[in-house]
Amino acid sequence: ICILPLSVMAQDSVAYSRDFEFREGFFLTLEQFKNNDPILKSAVVSNYPQTQADFISQVINSKYITYKDKDGNEQKVETMSLWGYCQNRTICINFNREFNRVNVIGTLFLFTATVNTPIGYRDPMSINYGINYVDELRQFVLDTHTNKIEDFNAKNMEMLLQEYDPVLYTEFMALKRKKKNDSIFIYLRKYNEKHPLYLSAN
């Protein structure tokens, strides 16, 4: 009785590899991404020609996306409510109201995004008092178990390994602080190799 569901699961899903063929379109949720079931380009209602190579890029710049659901009814969603999209085999996810290219796809994603960061300190008694901000390029990790995004640093890598892989966590904690900071990408890759992301094969 237990073997049948496992075999069905194996037929319906495959571990992610670079050869995996993502369907082009827009993902409303992480689950849609895992099911490889986006809103297809052919379902999108737009004045821009669907045959154009940059069709998805053009649509993503609109405030709303209108599309026909599987029953043929028109639906309208805010672009910034999308989880992400796929174009030319590239996955981009919505973070901080921008769509950012995913550099590493796995159970733990890795991507780079620009964030507006406060810098410096100014005397509050000064007439020119205020907080200065600067655009900073930073790396982030997405946990596909929870759909949570955190800064990609040693502290958060430690927490993820502690939660999901005690063996790798023990290895990681045995490293000195500087070595930890230098090894976070290595342990992200080790984790993804041990715990591959399974996607719908349909």
Side-chain angles (χ1 to χ4, degrees):
I1 295 174
C2 294
I3 294 174
L4 181 59
L6 290 173
S7 70
V8 171
M9 183 181 295
Q11 292 173 9
D12 290 346
S13 62
V14 294
Y16 168 76
S17 72
R18 291 185 180 182
D19 297 327
F20 187 86
E21 291 286 343
F22 287 106
R23 303 173 77 190
E24 283 203 334
F26 306 93
F27 300 105
L28 292 171
T29 64
L30 172 61
E31 288 308 307
Q32 276 194 349
F33 167 78
K34 289 180 178 179
N35 292 329
N36 198 20
D37 185 28
I39 298 167
L40 299 175
K41 293 194 297 184
S42 58
V44 175
V45 179
S46 172
N47 293 326
Y48 196 77
Q50 294 177 353
T51 54
Q52 294 295 317
D54 64 342
F55 174 77
I56 289 179
S57 299
Q58 292 293 328
V59 172
I60 214 74
N61 287 326
S62 305
K63 185 173 182 181
Y64 295 96
I65 292 178
T66 302
Y67 68 96
K68 291 185 178 180
D69 63 22
K70 293 177 181 178
D71 295 323
N73 300 316
E74 281 197 6
Q75 306 290 342
K76 187 176 182 181
V77 297
E78 285 191 46
T79 304
M80 284 300 123
S81 71
L82 296 173
W83 179 86
Y85 67 86
C86 173
Q87 179 175 247
N88 298 328
R89 296 175 61 89
T90 297
I91 302 297
C92 294
I93 61 174
N94 186 358
F95 174 69
N96 204 24
R97 299 188 66 80
E98 290 187 356
F99 290 91
N100 304 275
R101 177 175 180 162
V102 176
N103 305 115
V104 175
I105 297 174
T107 303
L108 300 179
F109 277 27
L110 182 65
F111 68 95
T112 303
T114 301
V115 292
N116 203 233
T117 307
I119 60 168
Y121 172 79
R122 304 180 74 176
D123 185 350
M125 300 304 292
S126 168
I127 192 171
N128 296 318
Y129 173 69
I131 300 174
N132 291 328
Y133 289 86
V134 64
D135 286 337
E136 181 184 1
L137 202 62
R138 297 216 310 255
Q139 288 186 311
F140 295 89
V141 59
L142 165 71
D143 177 2
T144 60
H145 297 106
T146 62
N147 202 28
K148 289 183 179 178
I149 293 173
E150 302 287 353
D151 281 293
F152 185 50
N153 55 36
K155 179 182 176 182
N156 287 326
M157 196 71 232
E158 177 183 319
M159 292 173 62
L160 288 166
L161 294 177
Q162 184 178 25
E163 178 74 17
Y164 300 124
D165 193 310
V167 174
L168 287 180
Y169 172 71
T170 302
E171 280 185 25
F172 190 69
M173 294 305 291
L175 301 175
K176 293 183 178 179
R177 180 180 296 181
K178 185 179 185 306
K179 187 66 174 176
K180 278 185 184 178
N181 292 331
D182 294 340
S183 301
I184 53 175
F185 182 80
I186 293 172
Y187 277 83
L188 178 89
R189 186 184 65 202
K190 283 185 175 185
Y191 181 84
N192 282 337
E193 287 174 353
K194 283 186 66 179
H195 309 277
L197 176 67
Y198 280 89
L199 302 167
S200 174
N202 298 327

